[in-house]
Amino acid sequence: MTETMRWFGPNDPVSLRDIRQAGATGIVTALHQIANGDVWPREAIAARKARIEAAGLVWSVVESLPVHEGIKTRAADWDGLTERYRQSLINLAACDIRTVTYNFMPVIDWTRTDLAWPMPDGALALRFELEAAAVYDLHILQRGGAAQDYTPALRDRAARRFHAMTQEERDRLERTIIAGLPGSEETFTTAQFRDALAQYDDVDAEALRANHVAFLEAVCPVADDLGIQLVVHPDDPPFALFGLPRVVSTEADVAALFARVPNRSNGLCFCAGSFGARGDNDLPGMIDRLGDRIGFLHLRSVQREPDGAFHEAAHLAGNADMVALVAAIHRLQIREGRSIPMRPDHGHQMLDDLSKVTLPGYSLLGRMRGLAELRGLERGIAHMAALQ
């Protein structure tokens, strides 16, 4: 695998020098300063690339080139938005950047309910808890029709929990969910979040899938010509949330998308943590079956808990069988004669980073630990395969 790390640009507390010393050779980044729906100028892309190369690294993958909500809802300005997306792809290709990550999650990107959940060793992890999401949805946001999305038992637990919370705890939960996590495309106030959800009142899962297909049919021919692979990041968490459909959550979802849009540029960012939050996703098997479409890897492991909760485990722990998963990736790379960009994802906040200002999930030391573990695992698997 080609070892990379995500970097959020010049304001990231983790520097390019830090990433290089961690052993990565590639950078995964985006022009976060540019508003969703606007064209990424060639000059800005070239300047970011030059800065990365001056640090002795390579801009390997774009993560992410955002898909505007107007594309996801098929709004009136859909044609203009897709044309600007195509132009951004043209500008990226002109700078020789050929792997572009995106997602098709409505309104909110990846979502957690706790950004500092204590682990037994004293490190802090990200956690999603469906009960906490229900507290926010039912009692803070007070979304119309929310009650039907939760079981009576969960509604009762959420009510008791809400009434036991302080106002500070309620505010923290709301900020965690809607204020925007690293790499998220939007941040919201409560009123703005309600308005954004309302845009999807008439967009169910079937309509969202159709809009996703329409988007790919509009941009993939250009991507094909440019030699760009668009890799879709799966839903995180991989199930409907706050009444919003999510349609890139399972192997069947992804396989159907490839069948509908067979262009070679229609690819997958395989996120082991996102897919792994569902027990019905067979991670090594998905590598074997979908491998020719995989252009980027996020390797992390979650520990599933009862009642729809999960937390970020250490990279070699949790529910993902990382040994089997990396072995499947090794077979894929040998079979296709390529090295796939990989980044360790969502490391624990640990050691000296506990006393520093860090981006949730993207502190240096937890990701560096994960990268080292994954590097050793891959080399061990490669060595054993060579002996057979």
Side-chain angles (χ1 to χ4, degrees):
M1 298 179 287
T2 302
E3 297 173 14
T4 74
M5 272 196 181
R6 194 169 189 180
W7 183 61
F8 290 95
N11 295 325
D12 193 326
V14 177
S15 70
L16 291 171
R17 184 184 67 174
D18 294 336
I19 291 173
R20 187 174 182 185
Q21 290 183 10
T25 59
I27 291 295
V28 175
T29 193
L31 302 184
H32 298 288
Q33 72 274 21
I34 297 177
N36 289 3
D38 288 351
V39 174
W40 283 17
R42 186 179 302 183
E43 297 77 14
I45 297 167
R48 176 63 60 83
K49 182 180 180 183
R51 183 169 187 154
I52 292 168
E53 290 178 347
L57 297 159
V58 175
W59 187 354
S60 301
V61 179
V62 170
E63 186 176 359
S64 296
L65 181 58
V67 178
H68 193 277
E69 295 302 315
I71 291 176
K72 298 172 189 174
T73 60
R74 202 72 187 266
D77 56 348
W78 188 89
D79 288 336
L81 289 167
T82 53
E83 175 55 34
R84 291 193 286 277
Y85 203 96
R86 287 190 291 264
Q87 186 59 55
S88 292
L89 295 178
I90 291 169
N91 292 345
L92 285 164
C95 296
D96 198 28
I97 299 170
R98 308 285 175 173
T99 303
V100 177
T101 314
Y102 75 99
N103 75 70
F104 221 76
M105 288 180 269
V107 182
I108 48 175
D109 202 313
W110 65 288
T111 304
R112 297 294 183 270
T113 57
D114 192 336
L115 305 182
W117 195 63
M119 297 293 289
D121 63 0
L124 302 178
L126 304 173
R127 186 170 185 251
F128 176 85
E129 188 183 6
L130 187 59
E131 182 180 298
V135 168
Y136 172 71
D137 198 9
L138 293 165
H139 299 285
I140 300 174
L141 181 64
Q142 298 180 354
R143 176 175 62 89
Q148 66 187 12
D149 292 341
Y150 305 99
T151 65
L154 183 53
R155 293 198 299 267
D156 289 344
R157 294 200 305 273
R160 290 194 297 271
R161 181 166 173 174
F162 172 75
H163 291 298
M165 294 170 73
T166 65
Q167 188 59 49
E168 180 182 355
E169 290 170 333
R170 295 171 184 175
D171 291 344
R172 185 187 309 118
L173 177 62
E174 180 170 49
R175 287 195 307 270
T176 298
I177 291 174
I178 69 172
L181 292 169
S184 296
E185 297 166 8
E186 301 285 356
T187 61
F188 302 95
T189 64
T190 301
Q192 289 169 339
F193 191 46
R194 289 195 186 101
D195 290 343
L197 294 179
Q199 297 176 27
Y200 285 84
D201 285 347
D202 297 322
V203 181
D204 60 10
E206 182 178 357
L208 186 63
R209 287 190 182 94
N211 293 348
H212 194 176
V213 168
F215 163 69
L216 289 173
E217 289 176 339
V219 300
C220 278
V222 171
D224 287 341
D225 291 341
L226 296 170
I228 281 179
Q229 187 176 36
L230 292 163
V231 292
V232 63
H233 188 287
D235 303 326
D236 186 7
F239 43 77
L241 200 60
F242 306 129
L244 296 168
R246 289 193 161 186
V247 297
V248 190
S249 297
T250 67
E251 180 177 356
D253 290 337
V254 178
L257 189 65
F258 295 154
R260 291 287 302 277
V261 186
N263 301 60
R264 285 299 306 168
S265 57
N266 181 17
L268 175 64
C269 167
F270 185 91
C271 180
S274 296
F275 283 130
R278 293 180 61 123
D280 56 349
N281 280 329
D282 166 23
L283 303 184
M286 291 173 73
I287 296 290
D288 289 334
R289 293 183 289 272
L290 302 172
D292 65 333
R293 294 284 183 165
I294 295 172
F296 185 29
L297 297 159
H298 289 184
L299 294 187
R300 62 185 174 92
S301 181
V302 300
Q303 179 65 55
R304 295 188 296 271
E305 305 172 36
D307 299 320
F310 60 86
H311 66 268
E312 307 285 353
H315 284 77
L316 301 188
N319 291 115
D321 184 346
M322 197 60 72
V323 175
L325 183 56
V326 173
I329 294 166
H330 179 72
R331 292 193 301 270
L332 169 63
Q333 292 182 138
I334 294 298
R335 184 168 69 245
E336 299 198 346
R338 61 187 176 113
S339 179
I340 304 174
M342 173 277 294
R343 69 173 178 86
D345 202 5
H346 295 184
H348 290 167
Q349 188 177 356
M350 58 188 293
L351 301 173
D352 287 354
D353 281 342
L354 289 167
S355 60
K356 295 179 181 178
V357 175
T358 64
L359 298 177
Y362 290 95
S363 54
L364 174 64
L365 298 179
R367 289 186 295 156
M368 185 168 69
R369 173 188 171 182
L371 183 62
E373 291 175 340
L374 293 166
R375 179 187 300 132
L377 176 59
E378 183 189 27
R379 291 187 182 180
I381 288 171
H383 178 71
M384 293 302 295
L387 295 177
Q388 293 177 357

